[in-house]
């Protein structure tokens, strides 16, 4: 069996762009007609730059190769251009192409991928969602703690047992920074009101995304400890694992991070620095399914758990479910509400969510199939925004307070 062709689809996500501005899907086809699908998580560059990069990696390292040889593919791409070090864009491309290889492998074996990566351990996957509160004007409103508490109850009544929210202010290209007292008050208010609303029926997942310097993160953590969150997410920027360890050593709240890291090498440094006890690798960025399984094994050695990150499309989600299903130290899987909306529309059969749990597919491969009519109708993405973007200016204490009320 050999891989003979690649198709790349840049799919525009309709407003309100839940899951990002666009999704990068790749399809590989073999000489015997088996097709595999993968997804590349958000990249540093826009789609017009990424499409030829994906084609270049395919031509060099996958064309006319056996899709079973994922170790060979990873090592050659990881070493491309005499690098042999984690490269965010290369690893994103590798991740999507590698999961497409696994989709082919599973279909050829007539097995779900999790059965080929150690076998099913978790028949259902505990899930959490961000709060997506909608105000009276029909707009998403992330700044009102009372509305957040109201929606926390709604999600709890749907079956969720864990809820994530991030009231700590904007992510900027100049973070980390010291949070103002007003912002810290707001964070504490969110935690208090949501905890009062859900009691002990839901874990609180306090999301931040590298906004703080370590001293500010420690100050905030002390305020939040009384509400007993399950985790404090990526409190400082991801480039310095010892800074993350500095925060972890000064709080009782478990530190979770990893969505912006790639490969076992970066996660090894995070674990050995004591920077996190919950790893949030994204299968569409970290190097693919086999690399994610290796990262999970490293975590197991440190008695750490995995909570795979997921803020992208349903193909990357399906791959993440395969990892979670076969991983003994799995904690919880990020869900985007209950996988309705465009996440369901772009698939022939939607992802299966039931009473707070994701049910892994028993179909061969990744267990998903794109609805190509929907893909074509929403392709290509023609906007200028990246999948996710950071604010271009430093935080101004007064402006932030005014904007947040």
């Amino acid at each position: 069996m050999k891989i003979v062709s690649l198709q790349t689809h840049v799919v525009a996500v309709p407003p309100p762009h839940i899951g990002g501005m666009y999704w990068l899907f790749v399809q590989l086809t073999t000489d015997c007609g088996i097709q595999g699908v993968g997804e590349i998580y958000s990249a540093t560059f826009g789609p017009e730059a990424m499409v030829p990069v994906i084609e270049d990696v395919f031509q060099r390292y996958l064309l006319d190769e056996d899709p079973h040889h994922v170790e060979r593919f990873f090592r050659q791409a990881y070493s491309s251009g005499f690098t042999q070090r984690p490269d965010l864009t290369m690893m994103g491309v590798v991740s999507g192409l590698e999961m497409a290889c696994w989709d082919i492998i599973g279909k050829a074996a007539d097995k779900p991928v999790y059965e080929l990566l150690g076998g099913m351990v978790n028949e259902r996957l505990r899930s959490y969602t961000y709060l997506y509160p909608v105000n009276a004007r029909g707009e998403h409103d992330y700044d009102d703690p009372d509305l957040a508490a109201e929606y926390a109850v709604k999600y709890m009544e749907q079956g969720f047992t864990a809820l994530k929210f991030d009231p700590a202010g904007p992510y900027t290209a100049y973070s980390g920074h010291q949070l103002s007292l007003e912002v810290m008050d707001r964070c504490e208010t969110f935690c208090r009101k949501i905890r009062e609303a859900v009691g002990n029926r839901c874990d609180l997942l306090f999301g931040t995304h590298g906004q703080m310097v370590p001293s500010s993160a420690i100050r905030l953590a002390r305020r939040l400890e009384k509400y007993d969150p399950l985790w404090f997410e990526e409190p400082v920027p991801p480039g310095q694992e010892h800074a993350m360890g500095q925060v972890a050593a000064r709080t009782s709240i478990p530190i979770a991070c990893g969505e912006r890291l790639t490969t076992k090498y970066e996660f090894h440094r995070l674990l050995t620095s004591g920077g996190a006890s919950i790893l949030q690798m994204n299968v569409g960025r970290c190097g693919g399914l086999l690399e994610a399984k290796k990262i999970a094994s490293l975590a197991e050695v440190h008695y750490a758990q995995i909570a795979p990150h997921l803020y992208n499309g349903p193909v990357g989600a399906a791959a993440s479910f395969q990892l979670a299903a076969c991983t003994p130290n799995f904690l919880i899987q990020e869900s985007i509400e209950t996988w309705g909306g465009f996440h369901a529309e772009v698939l022939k059969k939607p992802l299966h969510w039931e009473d707070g749990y994701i049910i892994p597919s028993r179909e061969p491969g990744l267990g998903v199939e794109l609805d190509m009519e929907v893909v074509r109708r929403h392709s290509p993405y023609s906007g200028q925004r990246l999948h996710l973007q950071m604010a271009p200016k430093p935080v101004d204490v007064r402006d932030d307070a005014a904007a947040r009320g």
Side-chain angles (χ1 to χ4, degrees), residues 154-177:
K154 289 182 179 180
Y155 287 121
M156 179 180 69
E157 290 174 346
Q158 282 184 300
F160 283 104
T161 58
L163 304 165
K164 189 158 79 169
F165 50 98
D166 178 1
Y171 330 126
T172 91
Y174 300 90
S175 294
H177 55 271

Side-chain angles (χ1 to χ4, degrees), residues 32-47:
C32 56
I34 301 175
Q35 190 170 79
V37 63
E39 182 177 351
I40 297 166
Y41 181 50
S42 60
T44 318
F45 305 97

Side-chain angles (χ1 to χ4, degrees), residues 206 228-233 235 248 251-256 275-278 331:
F206 194 87
D228 198 18
L230 176 59
W231 73 53
F232 190 16
E233 182 171 336
T251 180
S252 62
I253 307 172
I255 301 299
S277 56
I278 300 167
L331 171 63

Side-chain angles (χ1 to χ4, degrees), residues 36-198:
V37 63
E39 182 177 351
I40 297 166
Y41 181 50
S42 60
T44 318
F45 305 97
E48 289 184 358
M50 286 300 300
V51 170
V53 169
I54 296 164
E55 183 67 31
D56 183 88
V57 175
F58 169 75
Q59 292 281 344
R60 291 179 189 276
Y61 305 120
L62 272 184
L63 181 60
D64 293 328
E65 296 289 346
D66 188 327
H68 293 83
H69 297 168
V70 292
E71 284 279 19
R72 177 209 59 80
F73 170 52
F74 178 89
R75 291 308 307 188
Q76 291 193 5
Y78 181 77
S79 304
S80 184
F82 203 67
T83 50
Q84 288 193 320
R85 63 184 308 278
D87 176 281
L88 192 66
T89 300
M90 174 60 87
M91 287 300 102
V93 173
V94 167
S95 297
L97 293 173
E98 191 255 22
M99 73 174 73
C101 287
W102 277 109
D103 194 27
I104 292 169
I105 295 166
K107 289 171 179 175
D110 197 30
K111 294 283 187 182
V113 169
Y114 55 73
E115 297 290 18
L116 307 176
L117 284 172
M120 177 176 274
V121 175
N122 304 300
E123 293 187 358
R124 58 181 192 161
L125 310 173
R126 186 188 178 197
S127 69
Y128 73 89
T129 185
Y130 260 106
L131 300 180
Y132 295 99
V134 177
N135 61 26
R137 298 184 300 276
E139 302 164 340
H140 281 100
D141 183 347
Y142 301 104
D143 302 330
D144 183 341
D146 291 309
L147 188 62
E150 177 187 331
Y151 268 75
V153 172
K154 289 182 179 180
Y155 287 121
M156 179 180 69
E157 290 174 346
Q158 282 184 300
F160 283 104
T161 58
L163 304 165
K164 189 158 79 169
F165 50 98
D166 178 1
Y171 330 126
T172 91
Y174 300 90
S175 294
H177 55 271
Q178 282 285 346
L179 298 185
S180 69
L181 289 172
E182 288 178 86
V183 171
M184 286 198 285
D185 285 345
R186 182 174 71 232
C187 291
E188 187 172 356
T189 299
F190 265 77
C191 263
R192 175 175 57 81
K193 292 197 171 187
I194 295 171
R195 174 58 76 204
E196 289 171 352
V198 302

Side-chain angles (χ1 to χ4, degrees), residues 99-377:
M99 73 174 73
C101 287
W102 277 109
D103 194 27
I104 292 169
I105 295 166
K107 289 171 179 175
D110 197 30
K111 294 283 187 182
V113 169
Y114 55 73
E115 297 290 18
L116 307 176
L117 284 172
M120 177 176 274
V121 175
N122 304 300
E123 293 187 358
R124 58 181 192 161
L125 310 173
R126 186 188 178 197
S127 69
Y128 73 89
T129 185
Y130 260 106
L131 300 180
Y132 295 99
V134 177
N135 61 26
R137 298 184 300 276
E139 302 164 340
H140 281 100
D141 183 347
Y142 301 104
D143 302 330
D144 183 341
D146 291 309
L147 188 62
E150 177 187 331
Y151 268 75
V153 172
K154 289 182 179 180
Y155 287 121
M156 179 180 69
E157 290 174 346
Q158 282 184 300
F160 283 104
T161 58
L163 304 165
K164 189 158 79 169
F165 50 98
D166 178 1
Y171 330 126
T172 91
Y174 300 90
S175 294
H177 55 271
Q178 282 285 346
L179 298 185
S180 69
L181 289 172
E182 288 178 86
V183 171
M184 286 198 285
D185 285 345
R186 182 174 71 232
C187 291
E188 187 172 356
T189 299
F190 265 77
C191 263
R192 175 175 57 81
K193 292 197 171 187
I194 295 171
R195 174 58 76 204
E196 289 171 352
V198 302
N200 65 358
R201 292 176 61 189
C202 288
D203 277 307
L204 307 188
L205 312 179
F206 194 87
T208 55
H209 293 81
Q211 287 109 315
M212 290 165 278
V213 292
S215 58
S216 184
I218 292 164
R219 290 172 68 203
L220 178 58
R222 286 176 178 168
R223 287 179 173 236
L224 304 183
E225 284 175 348
K226 63 174 83 66
Y227 306 106
D228 198 18
L230 176 59
W231 73 53
F232 190 16
E233 182 171 336
E234 200 181 37
V236 300
Q240 222 284 50
E241 56 274 356
H242 293 289
M244 205 77 77
Q246 189 180 342
V247 178
R250 299 285 293 278
T251 180
S252 62
I253 307 172
I255 301 299
C257 71
E259 69 177 81
R260 290 189 270 183
L261 301 181
T262 73
T263 75
K264 54 189 165 291
Y265 303 107
E266 291 190 326
F267 282 92
H268 169 71
R269 291 195 295 270
L270 178 67
L271 288 164
T272 55
S273 69
S277 56
I278 300 167
L279 301 189
Q280 297 174 293
M281 74 285 277
N282 189 303
V283 175
R285 167 178 277 173
C286 70
L289 274 158
L290 186 57
E291 191 71 359
K293 182 70 171 176
K294 293 179 181 182
I295 293 164
S297 296
L298 284 175
E300 191 176 3
V301 171
H302 288 264
Y303 300 120
Q305 293 178 287
I306 71 164
H309 172 265
L310 206 293
Y311 192 73
N312 43 275
V315 175
S320 195
F321 303 167
Q322 299 289 328
L323 170 71
C326 65
T327 299
N329 53 325
F330 165 75
L331 171 63
I332 195 167
Q333 170 66 56
E334 182 163 9
S335 188
I336 298 181
E337 297 187 305
T338 61
W339 301 107
F342 194 58
H343 282 86
E345 185 182 345
V346 80
L347 297 180
K348 288 191 174 180
K349 183 179 179 181
L351 302 171
H352 187 180
W353 185 95
E354 182 180 292
D355 192 29
Y357 291 86
I358 294 159
I359 311 302
S361 171
R362 295 185 179 273
E363 295 297 316
L366 298 182
V368 290
E369 188 176 353
L370 293 172
D371 186 325
M372 293 311 299
E373 287 187 16
V374 177
V375 167
R376 284 188 286 270
R377 194 160 63 242

